[in-house]
Amino acid sequence: MKILVVDDQKANQIMLTGLLTSFGHEVVCASNGREALGLFEQVQPQLILLDVMMPEMDGFETAPRLKAMSGSVHLPIIFLTALDSQDTLLECLKVGGDDFLSIPFEPVVLQAKVNAHARVRELSYSIVEKNRALAWHTARMEREQNVVQHMLENALADNQLNYSFVKSYLRATSDFNGDVCLGRKGPFGNYYIFLGDFTGHGLAPATGALPVAQAFFSMAERGLSVGDMATEFNNRLYKVLPDDMFCAAIVVEMSANGDRISCWNGGMPDALLLDAQGRLAHRIKPQHMALGILSRSEFNSQLEHYFLSPGQRLVMFSDGVVEACNHKNQMIGEERFANWVTEMLDSDCSEVQFNAIVQRIDDFTGNASLNDDLSLVCLQCQPTGLEPQARSIKGYHLPFSLRVTLTEYDVRDRDPMQSMVDSLAKLDALQPHKTSLYLLFAESFNNLLEHSVLGMQSELKHEEGFERYYEERQSRIEQLQGLEIYFDINYEPNLNRLAFTLSSNSEHRFDGRCDRSTTIENDDTYGRGINLINQVADKVEWRDGGTLLYVSYSLSRPLV
Amino acid sequence: MSVTREFSADQKQLIITIKGKFDFGLVQEFRQAYSHIGDSEPLVIIDLRETEYLDSSALGMLLNMRKSLGSTVKGIHLINARPEVKRILDISRFEKMFTIA
């Protein structure tokens, strides 16, 4: 240990240096306070023996300065004093002294005191080190939380909760909310809501919210059913979450007209469906376990569907709402909350009324601390007013001609038309037309196959004959041999047109001669194919004596 | 599972969903989906949100269903049809026999 002895008496310096060196310490001496301060930076002493009475600067003035120079690490100062007046001793303590040593003294006392203070110094040093480590970890934790917060905010940037027909409120007990509320419009003008409650608060549930939010937005955009959504959330969370974590959730879809909702409730409190007067019409109870518990095979995606009349409202909330307590430790409770809802949302769910319910929760809980995250959503069932999604076509394609020759192998047990359209639809410009293209290809192909190649009679399709017709078709296909059907497909991007001709190595005509002409209004189950081709295509022509069909389709035709 | 059926909680609606391709390949599955509907006179809802391809045989199957169910159901709604599918239904004047929503 490095010790600084500050004493103007040469004799004392020599005596103390001798003793301390013999105890194994390193000693530097100063003759007064000023000299001690000058030496401090260079020597970096770990303990000070300080005389009281000295020229230039005495011990009382020196002690606080030395303490200040030592910073956050404790620097023990033992005053050397010949005086034992009580006032002097008190003054020593007041200026920051830690102990006294009266001269003369027994060497063993010096040794004991130095050792005792060395331990304190060591302790202080290790505390400072630990504080430094702690500060570093705290900063690091904060940085990482900021990263997650940032990711979460970005993931939720597309959250669409600002429509007039939806009101939501979330309150978190920590920086990260264990409750998640997501909203998104679908491609049919429909609207989806996800309200979830992860076990726990903080970072862990926030991390679980990420995959759910991503899956929710992308599935909503594709217009999937709520059952498929719930299945996907469950699969993801089952894989990702540890066994003791899960996510209670309610997933709802409202139709574009606002006249129908589909709902999957796993482990959330009953959602309250109100009638137009605000009376409780139905409780949508949790029919399922929370997400992330059941394996794929055990999971049940059964939905509940409700038809609504105008003005109905759906109120959903996490258990944090009904379990919120006041200062007497009384919970709000399901009954009381349902009463508030029916009382306050009597005619509408306006901003004012929604905020009044939130206020009521706040008034009830008062200053009592929140034990759980709290979320509340009200969905007003009305036409959403959201436009169905229009697909934008981008990209530039080259023209091409393509000949496809099908044989009986391609026709048996397969649907060559689906393969063909699936392939064509990989082009951006054709993708939005795949349903129409499939219809044109499939109807033309079936007409050729059934009437020219297989020699079937359409009338067979009538009612009970419908299935027999297709059985017969299948059995005739089984017997086909040496079949060749030719598709010549021509794509002309400059004309925005896709055209094809269809023919076969069969001699027979298939120009509809055998397809009884039908009016569109009749509801016969047959004779529709050619009509559909005529209506969907721009140009339909029979060529080569009814053995070749030419169909042209305009890609600039609006879809809606 | 390209055809699924599901009753609403109150048994008043039967929801049939058809995914991917709707053609005669589904004829039995589809017929089963609307069989055994009980005496509750439900409303039948055909959800076409994921129907990508259909041809005249699908239209025939819908018409067969309508004939077969007759007055045992409250009505038949075709919902969530994509624009292209909707156009095919319009061309076939299906709004005269079904509610298209």
Side-chain angles (χ1 to χ4, degrees), chain A residues 406-426:
Chain A
L406 304 173
T407 68
E408 62 269 25
Y409 296 106
D410 303 305
V411 173
R412 272 181 209 144
D413 305 320
R414 292 199 181 99
D415 183 358
M417 294 307 102
Q418 183 177 353
S419 310
M420 202 145 90
V421 176
D422 279 343
S423 304
L424 290 172
K426 294 217 162 53

Side-chain angles (χ1 to χ4, degrees), chain A residues 391-393 421-422 424-441 491 496-498 536 538 553-560, chain B residues 52-53 82-85 87-88:
Chain A
R391 299 192 85 122
S392 60
I393 301 158
V421 176
D422 279 343
L424 290 172
K426 294 217 162 53
L427 288 182
D428 276 349
L430 301 183
Q431 209 280 337
H433 298 273
K434 66 195 288 194
T435 306
S436 304
L437 291 176
Y438 177 81
L439 183 89
L440 294 177
F441 280 112
Y491 174 50
N496 227 348
R497 184 167 73 188
L498 187 108
V536 172
D538 286 306
Y553 175 78
S554 166
L555 298 162
S556 47
R557 197 166 177 154
L559 289 175
V560 188
Chain B
E52 265 186 323
Y53 297 136
R82 298 171 181 210
E84 280 194 289
V85 173
R87 188 166 84 191
I88 293 169

Side-chain angles (χ1 to χ4, degrees), chain A residues 299-409:
Chain A
F299 186 76
N300 184 342
S301 63
Q302 171 102 41
L303 303 183
E304 291 186 72
H305 304 269
Y306 298 92
F307 255 90
L308 309 168
S309 35
Q312 287 207 258
R313 290 172 289 283
L314 180 64
V315 180
M316 296 163 273
F317 46 91
S318 63
D319 58 7
V321 170
V322 285
E323 286 167 12
C325 290
N326 61 11
H327 64 280
K328 288 184 203 147
N329 227 13
Q330 291 168 318
M331 290 199 295
I332 292 181
E334 295 216 23
E335 267 327 296
R336 194 197 315 253
F337 187 68
N339 286 339
W340 288 356
V341 166
T342 51
E343 199 178 298
M344 302 173 83
L345 296 182
D346 53 346
S347 60
D348 195 6
C349 181
S350 66
E351 198 78 42
V352 177
Q353 286 167 309
F354 187 77
N355 291 343
I357 292 201
V358 171
Q359 187 60 48
R360 193 109 182 217
I361 297 171
D362 284 348
D363 289 349
F364 184 87
T365 53
N367 299 326
S369 66
L370 215 54
N371 297 322
D372 195 1
D373 300 323
L374 195 149
S375 53
L376 173 66
V377 178
C378 179
L379 185 67
Q380 179 86 30
C381 304
Q382 63 181 49
T384 61
L386 300 171
E387 288 293 320
Q389 226 160 5
R391 299 192 85 122
S392 60
I393 301 158
K394 47 185 183 292
Y396 154 78
H397 302 311
L398 295 173
F400 64 81
S401 296
L402 181 70
R403 162 158 274 216
V404 180
T405 305
L406 304 173
T407 68
E408 62 269 25
Y409 296 106

